[in-house]
Amino acid sequence: MKSNRRLIQVLIFLGVIVLGGYAIGNSLFADGGGLPRKGSKPPAFALLDADGKTHRLEDYKGKALVINFWGSFCPGCVTETPDLEAQYKKHGDKPFEIVGINLSEDRLTINNFIKQYGVSYTILQDNNRQVESAYGLKSYPTTFFVKPDGTIMDVFIGPMGEQDMDERITKLLAS
Amino acid sequence: MSLLDFSSDAFIVAFFLYCFGFLFYGVSALGRKWSKRSPEEHIRRWGRVAYIVSLLGFIAHLTFFFTRWSGGGHIPTSNMYEFMSFLAMAIMAAFIVVDAIYRKPLLGLFTLPLVVIIVAYAAVFPQEVQPLIPALQSYWLKIHVTTAATGEAFFAVGFAAGLMYLLRTVDFKKTDQRARREQRWVEFTLYVIIVIIAFIGSVFGFRGAGYEANFKQETVEIDDSGAENSTVNTVEYSLPPIFKPYNSQVVTMDSFLGIDKPLFETPHWMHGVDAARKLNTITWSIVNGSILYGLLRLALRKRIGAAIHPLMDGIDEDDIDEISYRAIAIGYPIFMLGALIFAMIWAYIAWSRFWGWDPKEVWALITWLYYTAYLHFRLSRGWHGSKSAWLAVIGFVVVMFTLIGVNLVLVGLHSYAGV
Amino acid sequence: MSAFENTKCECGHQNPTGTVLCENCGYPLDPEEESSEAPLEMRYDGIARRSQKANPNPIDRVWNFFSSVKVAVRLIVITLIAAMIGTIFTQENAFISFDPTTYYEGKYGWIGKWYYKLGFSNTYESWWFIGLLVMIGTSLVICSLDRVLPLYRALNKQQIRKHEQFLVRQKTVYTGEIEGPEDVWTDNMAKQLKRKHYKVHMEGGALLAEKNRFSRWGPYVNHIGLIIFLLAVLLRTLPGWSIDNYVTVAEGDTVKVPETKYYVKNEKFTIDYYTDAELPKELKGTARAKLYETQAILYTCAADCDDPSKEPKLTEVKRHNIIVNDPLSYNGIKAYQFGFDDTPKLKAVNPVLIDKKTGKSYGPFKLDMRNPQLNFELGPYSLELRQSYMDFALNSDGKPTTKSREPNAPAFVFLLKGPGLSDKGEPYMYFPKQNDKARFSQDVINGELAERFELKVPAMEGVEFTPVETSLNIRYDRAMPYIWVGAGISMFGLLLGSYWQHRRIWLRLDNGRVTLGAHTNKNNYGMRAEVTSALRGIGIVVEPKSLDNGRNKS
């Protein structure tokens, strides 16, 4: 009887600690509006490139990956493009990829942009803002740094300077 | 539309019958001192007359309700006027139920004025039948609003009994600190009620006189891109402007008691919806309420509470305490069902979520938590009697804030029910 | 409470620590109760709460904390005040995009600044508010458990013959001499009480009548319901248990619902307003919405779902006209009418190319705003689309750019080729909107070419707008059934506890003298009325008021 009672007490406290801890923890680490967190896996996507070829997130498994959301209407995106291109060239020999996901603009605009800035990394076209909203974007540009194991190392919101980019990509390649 | 006209007439009839009912309850309580009959006989007789008149008022009120329902095509609980008059009707129903259990004529002396005030307050709002917007087109409008209001009506009866208890037990002759504090608060409660009466009186007085004042108000707002946008709105007053809107010009203004221009300007930091008009109305209510209170004090030559207190002689205070508690205990499950559970079901159907922390929802929860605390307090012996009565009085303030305050002061999804 | 308590009653029963009234005979053990003359404290029948122990250890102390109703009420009051504060200013989650760090201070001054800093701008999701709810939940479990089991035991093995002290200190008491033999009297009384639906137990000159015991369990059933409700709310936060998405679908379009395998089509969207005839005279002339309706079709994807190079193969699963109070519902997925956008957006124009010299026109051709065709053959001329800008502007370097991806101020650069033009072609800039054409001086940009050619939409029919868009809220909530079950159980328990009262009447006969005590957990008024009526049944007439014990002190 007595040990039974103690057992029930302990069980209830355990329950409270687990459930209550989960509830409070949830509110403590609530993500602001669904942007994927560091350490989590980015949402999957399947999008077309300029040649009509399908690219999927899982195609890049095992490689260091930078996912950059951009649009020709966003001045910050335009200014960081040459630096991204330089980084891509610099690390061309390593298992490293950059994917630029366009923010649902049209084909012509994207092709003109690729031509104008001589972009050689993969540019994909989002449709109807689907991937953009899956990634919870609120402002542009936003860049995700994904480690070869498929988890997010860092998220950068806003235009990156050369140094921001270099630091993160170096760290990404070291992981 | 003649059905609706008939309905409006029934509303007025109900109002006057309630007034007479109150009057007769007054006679029954006041008159036993000077009546030739024995006090018990007097109370019984006049209590009966008062009860029948009030019951007739209730029947007229029901007639109003159902004819308006049939004439308007939907249940009349969809705007402030309809809701408030339904609430008054529900309070009458709750009173009838509680009175059937306890048979205490004096309960009517406190419930009837409450009903009269709420009916009059309902009439402050626009009275036309408004066709339902899509969000309200659901049978849950009938179920949710009526049950929630019924629960609240029992809380109102609990409040009436609580106030009655206080007026019965607070000794206005004692002068120790505790007694003085209780006297002050009872008096303040009565003062607030008088201010509310003054508010309704002022609105109808000036409306009857056709008073009008118009202002042009310029508001400057800075938008996201940093540009200044100024908009000019017309603000209409139906009470003479003590406070004119901030940064505004008089367009037209009837003169009142020789005052033909506004006395003050509303401070700039009050910029809620219609803030200036609300401030002006509140000022008028307090001024008129204070005058009314002063006149009553002069006429009675003592505090109002002290004047009412002797009328309560001989009433069993424990019975009133129990009535107050019982009314709340009856209302609590109904309130939970209507204001929380049915509300959640409807919110789930209409707004896709059962709970969204909308101010109205939060205040329904606050009301529920409040009465939950009340019921748990009652479990311990120390919280019977006067503490419990105070809780019942404050509880009704919480209820009224949930019903009216949220719509007038806070913003949210329930705003369609506003003025 | 003293460290050592004598818990052995004079009737010989050994009670647990903390017992107020002897479990056996009901004699008050608590010294304070014993010396008093007021009605007994009958809460939980005077039993010892489970947790009351002589030497509490830390776990017991925490347990005792949550086991106290006083603590529970305090928690409720704190939650209530916190909830009130949370309604002062609009909460963060009511906004779609804004910056809370500046908004509150900007709008409400220093009060707003502190409101934000103290975390009240997000009260209901904050860790401390959730923490309060967790504590209330804990208290619900422990308070109930601590009381319900001992109470169950106490009510299950009730002694019929109680101590006289116990009877005369109930709230409803009657004592008197009886006439005739004792057993006849008790039998008559038992008959009366049975007629009032009491269960009657008798034992040598003592009687216990009881009814509606189940109502005692009401509060505990209610608490169980509340706990289920709270747990169900917690369940919703598990990954995969709920989906909350918004899709915007133009009339005629089919759109994928994010996070699901479903697609939704908007066949037709309708907005109806009340006509003046339906409106009262105060509202005539105002646009008062009567109906928002999306005729929707829900599809699942059968094949090629995840390949943007192919069209997905869809199978229709449900067709429903969604209105505000009537969502589409399929397999737990619900689609709610949320909003609409009927501001006209340019979709396509059908311009013609005019040769100003000859006055001849070629075309029209269709120029879509989104993904337009790139080459157009117009009689002897050809147009090649080179650039498009959806929201034309000049950047700081004076170069053309677009401000957004919405066709607010579309502009197109064509290469015009044909007779009398250079072989490489000549660039021609085209602003389909008339006001943009003037604003950005199209003719100046095109220079000499503007005098020879013009692209122009001949009539209003040449302009196409996007159809009305409906926005639907797509929800999936696996925990909803548990939420309703919890709410239902809680409501059921509340009804049991509120509208029925547990009533018990004890009486004992000692040498021709009857002592009767009655107890109810609620509504003593009704209890007295019932005892009066039972007594009247056997010929004893009393005023209900006279049974009232310990009140009307005067």
Side-chain angles (χ1 to χ4, degrees):
Chain A
M1 180 65 206
K2 195 156 185 180
S3 66
N4 218 348
R5 188 154 121 185
R6 177 51 36 101
L7 187 71
I8 291 175
Q9 285 191 344
V10 171
L11 279 180
I12 286 178
F13 279 133
L14 272 180
V16 166
I17 289 167
V18 170
L19 292 169
Y22 173 72
I24 296 174
N26 241 348
S27 64
L28 262 183
F29 305 110
D31 34 44
L35 206 69
R37 263 177 276 154
K38 287 179 199 176
S40 69
K41 286 194 181 340
F45 60 78
L47 295 171
L48 297 180
D49 66 9
D51 306 323
K53 202 178 136 243
T54 306
H55 292 249
R56 293 168 199 278
L57 177 64
E58 62 250 38
D59 299 344
Y60 298 94
K61 216 167 180 186
K63 286 182 184 174
L65 176 66
V66 174
I67 305 174
N68 171 250
F69 285 89
W70 67 277
S72 68
F73 56 86
C74 131
C77 308
V78 176
T79 54
E80 71 179 4
T81 302
D83 293 331
L84 272 173
E85 179 60 26
Q87 287 287 337
Y88 185 63
K89 290 247 168 68
K90 186 171 147 193
H91 300 293
D93 53 332
K94 299 182 186 120
F96 171 67
E97 288 289 342
I98 298 179
V99 170
I101 298 182
N102 173 267
L103 299 162
S104 308
E105 292 184 284
D106 63 14
R107 211 54 288 162
L108 179 71
T109 309
I110 297 172
N111 289 343
N112 281 334
F113 186 86
I114 294 175
K115 245 182 275 164
Q116 190 181 346
Y117 293 94
V119 179
S120 61
Y121 54 84
T122 317
I123 294 285
L124 303 175
Q125 183 187 15
D126 188 13
N127 269 313
N128 258 329
R129 308 182 186 190
Q130 283 194 22
V131 175
E132 176 189 338
S133 61
Y135 275 72
L137 254 56
K138 278 195 173 152
S139 62
Y140 321 113
T142 299
T143 308
F144 296 85
F145 295 86
V146 185
K147 290 194 283 191
D149 66 359
T151 58
I152 297 174
M153 182 195 82
D154 202 0
V155 182
F156 197 100
I157 298 167
M160 291 182 287
E162 230 181 307
Q163 204 189 337
D164 298 320
M165 221 177 272
D166 204 58
E167 260 171 30
R168 285 174 178 78
I169 291 175
T170 312
K171 200 173 146 202
L172 190 66
L173 286 168
S175 67
Chain B
M1 281 291 158
S2 64
L3 203 53
L4 288 179
D5 292 338
F6 176 70
S7 175
S8 309
D9 294 343
F11 182 77
I12 293 165
V13 170
F15 174 75
F16 282 108
L17 283 170
Y18 287 150
C19 287
F20 284 121
F22 170 45
L23 214 67
F24 293 138
Y25 274 120
V27 171
S28 124
L30 266 175
R32 69 196 152 130
K33 295 250 163 80
W34 35 260
S35 166
K36 274 176 244 140
R37 291 188 196 88
S38 73
E40 287 78 28
E41 174 70 8
H42 176 87
I43 291 179
R44 210 178 54 81
R45 247 168 194 263
W46 281 98
R48 209 176 157 71
V49 172
Y51 182 73
I52 289 170
V53 172
S54 312
L55 201 64
L56 287 175
F58 181 62
I59 291 167
H61 206 155
L62 280 173
T63 314
F64 152 79
F65 180 74
F66 285 105
T67 47
R68 190 177 168 95
W69 188 341
S70 141
H74 60 83
I75 187 170
T77 52
S78 68
N79 58 28
M80 263 304 196
Y81 165 68
E82 292 174 346
F83 179 76
M84 280 296 141
S85 60
F86 181 81
L87 180 69
M89 196 168 92
I91 294 175
M92 265 315 284
F95 163 69
I96 290 168
V97 169
V98 175
D99 191 64
I101 303 174
Y102 291 100
R103 301 253 167 246
K104 290 274 171 233
L106 272 179
L107 184 59
L109 184 62
F110 286 81
T111 317
L112 259 295
L114 186 64
V115 171
V116 168
I117 290 173
I118 292 177
V119 168
Y121 179 66
V124 168
F125 295 95
Q127 298 179 15
E128 70 272 4
V129 176
Q130 297 162 345
L132 296 180
I133 56 169
L136 293 180
Q137 293 165 9
S138 167
Y139 54 86
W140 286 102
L141 175 65
K142 294 176 205 135
I143 304 171
H144 158 62
V145 182
T146 50
T147 18
T150 309
E152 283 147 0
F154 278 99
F155 294 158
V157 174
F159 156 78
L163 188 59
M164 193 168 154
Y165 182 90
L166 292 172
L167 285 165
R168 165 75 182 82
T169 55
V170 172
D171 192 339
F172 278 82
K173 290 196 185 77
K174 270 196 196 157
T175 51
D176 61 292
Q177 206 183 356
R178 200 189 111 107
R180 290 235 304 267
R181 198 178 63 217
E182 282 200 313
Q183 291 160 13
R184 261 203 306 276
W185 281 106
V186 168
E187 199 61 11
F188 178 73
T189 311
L190 295 170
Y191 171 73
V192 170
I193 295 171
I194 289 169
V195 167
I196 293 167
I197 296 171
F199 157 70
I200 298 167
S202 317
V203 169
F204 282 106
F206 285 109
R207 191 185 283 175
Y211 186 87
E212 237 178 74
N214 282 300
F215 301 90
K216 260 197 171 41
Q217 184 184 19
E218 191 180 347
T219 24
V220 181
E221 268 183 17
I222 296 166
D223 67 9
D224 298 339
S225 54
E228 278 194 6
N229 291 320
S230 79
T231 43
V232 176
N233 291 318
T234 328
V235 182
E236 286 173 23
Y237 276 32
S238 53
L239 299 179
I242 297 174
F243 285 96
K244 69 170 188 170
Y246 174 68
N247 199 14
S248 67
Q249 252 78 51
V250 179
V251 179
T252 59
M253 181 180 156
D254 299 343
S255 133
F256 173 71
L257 294 180
I259 303 165
D260 51 6
K261 60 174 190 283
L263 300 176
F264 306 101
E265 184 169 17
T266 308
H268 68 95
W269 45 267
M270 287 190 162
H271 45 39
V273 185
D274 297 331
R277 190 164 59 205
K278 283 173 193 166
L279 176 69
N280 192 52
T281 310
I282 290 170
T283 313
W284 265 108
S285 309
I286 292 176
V287 168
N288 285 351
S290 303
I291 293 171
L292 190 59
Y293 177 78
L295 290 175
L296 277 170
R297 279 289 289 268
L298 275 179
L300 295 168
R301 286 167 204 285
K302 55 181 135 182
R303 277 175 291 183
I304 298 175
I308 301 175
H309 178 65
L311 297 181
M312 306 281 129
D313 270 355
I315 299 174
D316 182 352
E317 58 191 61
D318 290 312
D319 276 351
I320 321 173
D321 179 49
E322 177 154 339
I323 291 174
S324 172
Y325 168 59
R326 196 76 197 294
I328 290 170
I330 293 174
Y332 180 76
I334 306 177
F335 177 80
M336 178 176 167
L337 188 67
L340 293 177
I341 295 185
F342 288 162
M344 285 196 282
I345 298 176
W346 192 11
Y348 182 61
I349 293 171
W351 296 329
S352 77
R353 82 290 185 292
F354 66 94
W355 193 262
W357 297 108
D358 174 73
K360 194 84 167 182
E361 290 174 331
V362 176
W363 274 94
L365 178 70
I366 289 170
T367 311
W368 182 76
L369 286 174
Y370 183 89
Y371 282 102
T372 307
Y374 170 90
L375 292 177
H376 284 86
F377 271 132
R378 280 295 294 210
L379 283 175
S380 49
R381 209 156 28 182
W383 283 84
H384 286 223
S386 115
K387 276 184 187 168
S388 166
W390 275 117
L391 286 180
V393 170
I394 298 165
F396 191 62
V397 177
V398 176
V399 169
M400 285 330 256
F401 188 81
T402 307
L403 295 180
I404 306 165
V406 173
N407 294 69
L408 298 187
V409 182
L410 307 172
V411 284
L413 285 170
H414 280 74
S415 56
Y416 47 72
V419 202
Chain C
M1 243 175 249
S2 54
F4 178 78
E5 257 186 287
N6 185 10
T7 52
K8 190 162 182 168
C9 176
E10 56 179 50
C11 71
H13 183 76
Q14 179 65 48
N15 292 290
T17 319
T19 306
V20 183
L21 305 175
C22 172
E23 289 175 346
N24 189 39
C25 68
Y27 185 78
L29 296 173
D30 184 65
E32 217 174 284
E33 277 286 357
E34 192 179 6
S35 54
S36 156
E37 280 182 8
L40 291 173
E41 178 62 274
M42 284 291 288
R43 246 190 314 166
Y44 319 115
D45 266 36
I47 48 161
R49 275 188 279 132
R50 243 172 102 83
S51 59
Q52 288 172 329
K53 284 176 67 181
N55 301 304
N57 68 15
I59 292 187
D60 292 324
R61 282 176 199 279
V62 180
W63 185 272
N64 287 350
F65 174 79
F66 282 111
S67 157
S68 151
V69 174
K70 234 183 227 159
V71 170
V73 175
R74 276 185 201 147
L75 287 173
I76 291 174
V77 171
I78 295 170
T79 311
L80 183 157
I81 292 168
M84 275 186 188
I85 297 173
T87 60
I88 297 177
F89 298 137
T90 314
Q91 296 282 297
E92 283 178 37
N93 60 7
F95 298 96
I96 292 162
S97 66
F98 82 124
D99 184 5
T101 51
T102 54
Y103 174 83
Y104 289 99
E105 191 175 356
K107 183 141 191 200
Y108 305 110
W110 64 270
I111 303 174
K113 180 177 157 189
W114 282 100
Y115 192 78
Y116 172 73
K117 276 201 173 168
L118 293 172
F120 287 115
S121 62
N122 211 4
T123 305
Y124 310 112
E125 271 103 49
S126 64
W127 63 269
W128 52 269
F129 192 80
I130 306 283
L132 277 172
L133 295 183
V134 168
M135 281 169 82
I136 289 181
T138 312
S139 151
L140 275 173
V141 174
I142 293 178
C143 276
S144 307
L145 206 65
D146 240 20
R147 289 171 175 79
V148 72
L149 294 176
L151 182 66
Y152 177 80
R153 262 186 289 123
L155 292 179
N156 228 11
K157 50 157 202 188
Q158 291 183 68
Q159 199 67 28
I160 294 167
R161 194 176 182 85
K162 289 280 184 185
H163 198 281
E164 209 178 332
Q165 266 285 311
F166 179 80
L167 298 188
V168 295
R169 284 183 58 193
Q170 291 300 324
K171 277 194 176 161
T172 305
V173 173
Y174 172 78
T175 51
E177 304 294 326
I178 62 161
E179 286 159 24
E182 288 189 355
D183 49 346
V184 177
W185 195 93
T186 18
D187 277 346
N188 281 338
M189 190 65 183
K191 246 180 243 155
Q192 287 299 323
L193 291 170
K194 273 181 189 154
R195 273 174 57 192
K196 296 185 184 305
H197 309 290
Y198 278 86
K199 279 186 197 128
V200 181
H201 311 272
M202 283 184 288
E203 182 192 86
L207 177 148
L208 163 62
E210 183 178 13
K211 76 174 179 187
N212 297 342
R213 192 196 284 177
F214 64 86
S215 106
R216 282 304 268 278
W217 314 126
Y220 306 104
V221 174
N222 169 264
H223 289 175
I224 290 170
L226 289 176
I227 291 161
I228 295 176
F229 183 88
L230 288 175
L231 288 177
V233 170
L234 199 57
L235 264 186
R236 293 178 74 241
T237 63
L238 289 176
W241 276 68
S242 65
I243 288 175
D244 179 7
N245 269 313
Y246 294 87
V247 289
T248 309
V249 201
E251 216 169 61
D253 275 6
T254 307
V255 165
K256 185 177 194 300
V257 180
E259 295 179 69
T260 68
K261 57 183 197 297
Y262 295 102
Y263 284 73
V264 64
K265 181 176 184 188
N266 171 7
E267 288 253 279
K268 188 172 167 23
F269 179 75
T270 320
I271 320 168
D272 265 357
Y273 293 97
Y274 285 102
T275 60
D276 270 358
E278 291 168 299
L279 289 172
K281 65 173 183 297
E282 292 84 348
L283 291 175
K284 282 193 201 306
T286 57
R288 193 177 175 87
K290 187 180 187 178
L291 177 76
Y292 304 121
E293 183 189 61
T294 307
Q295 293 179 17
I297 306 175
L298 189 74
Y299 299 97
T300 49
C301 182
D304 302 328
C305 307
D306 196 22
D307 190 345
S309 60
K310 291 180 194 152
E311 278 291 303
K313 292 199 174 56
L314 302 180
T315 16
E316 181 180 326
V317 289
K318 178 99 182 190
R319 205 174 257 273
H320 186 77
N321 296 346
I322 303 172
I323 58 172
V324 175
N325 272 296
D326 186 12
L328 177 151
S329 169
Y330 176 77
N331 257 359
I333 286 271
K334 283 177 191 277
Y336 295 84
Q337 184 64 51
F338 179 73
F340 66 94
D341 184 1
D342 62 352
T343 48
K345 273 185 222 140
L346 207 53
K347 186 179 178 226
V349 286
N350 293 282
V352 291
L353 180 70
I354 301 168
D355 185 335
K356 281 188 169 172
K357 293 235 169 74
T358 61
K360 264 192 173 173
S361 70
Y362 306 95
F365 63 95
K366 184 172 180 180
L367 179 63
D368 282 310
M369 295 298 120
R370 261 200 81 73
N371 289 327
Q373 199 182 319
L374 298 182
N375 289 292
F376 304 95
E377 297 295 329
L378 302 165
Y381 298 100
S382 74
L383 282 172
E384 191 188 328
L385 183 60
R386 299 303 298 265
Q387 283 283 3
S388 69
Y389 306 94
M390 285 297 99
D391 199 346
F392 185 81
L394 293 173
N395 67 12
S396 48
D397 304 335
K399 290 206 173 119
T401 183
T402 179
K403 276 194 296 190
S404 74
R405 46 189 155 165
E406 304 299 337
N408 298 328
F412 296 88
V413 180
F414 292 101
L415 208 55
L416 181 58
K417 287 182 190 168
L421 289 158
S422 111
D423 288 349
K424 283 192 285 178
E426 293 181 29
Y428 180 89
M429 186 138 200
Y430 174 50
F431 293 90
K433 283 191 177 171
Q434 205 57 41
N435 61 337
D436 295 338
K437 186 179 168 180
R439 187 154 62 110
F440 297 113
S441 27
Q442 177 181 319
D443 289 348
V444 178
I445 297 171
N446 289 330
E448 182 246 359
L449 202 58
E451 284 156 31
R452 291 163 57 198
F453 295 99
E454 191 182 5
L455 274 176
K456 194 178 173 183
V457 179
M460 254 328 269
E461 297 87 76
V463 182
E464 292 171 31
F465 293 100
T466 49
V468 187
E469 285 177 336
T470 182
S471 81
L472 300 175
N473 183 197
I474 313 283
R475 286 264 184 170
Y476 173 70
D477 229 327
R478 241 171 98 187
M480 277 329 279
Y482 305 101
I483 297 226
W484 300 135
V485 165
I489 292 176
S490 155
M491 196 61 228
F492 175 71
L494 192 54
L495 293 178
L496 281 191
S498 303
Y499 298 138
W500 281 273
Q501 296 99 33
H502 181 212
R503 288 177 177 174
R504 275 175 297 172
I505 299 169
W506 299 269
L507 63 86
R508 56 185 282 169
L509 293 160
D510 303 280
N511 310 320
R513 192 175 164 75
V514 62
T515 312
L516 180 150
H519 174 256
T520 179
N521 58 338
K522 251 186 215 86
N523 189 9
N524 282 300
Y525 193 89
M527 184 79 250
R528 289 198 298 270
E530 205 156 57
V531 172
T532 313
S533 145
L535 287 173
R536 199 185 311 118
I538 54 169
I540 301 172
V541 179
V542 286
E543 268 292 302
K545 270 263 117 160
S546 68
L547 302 176
D548 195 356
N549 178 32
R551 307 199 316 174
N552 294 329
K553 292 114 210 157
S554 51

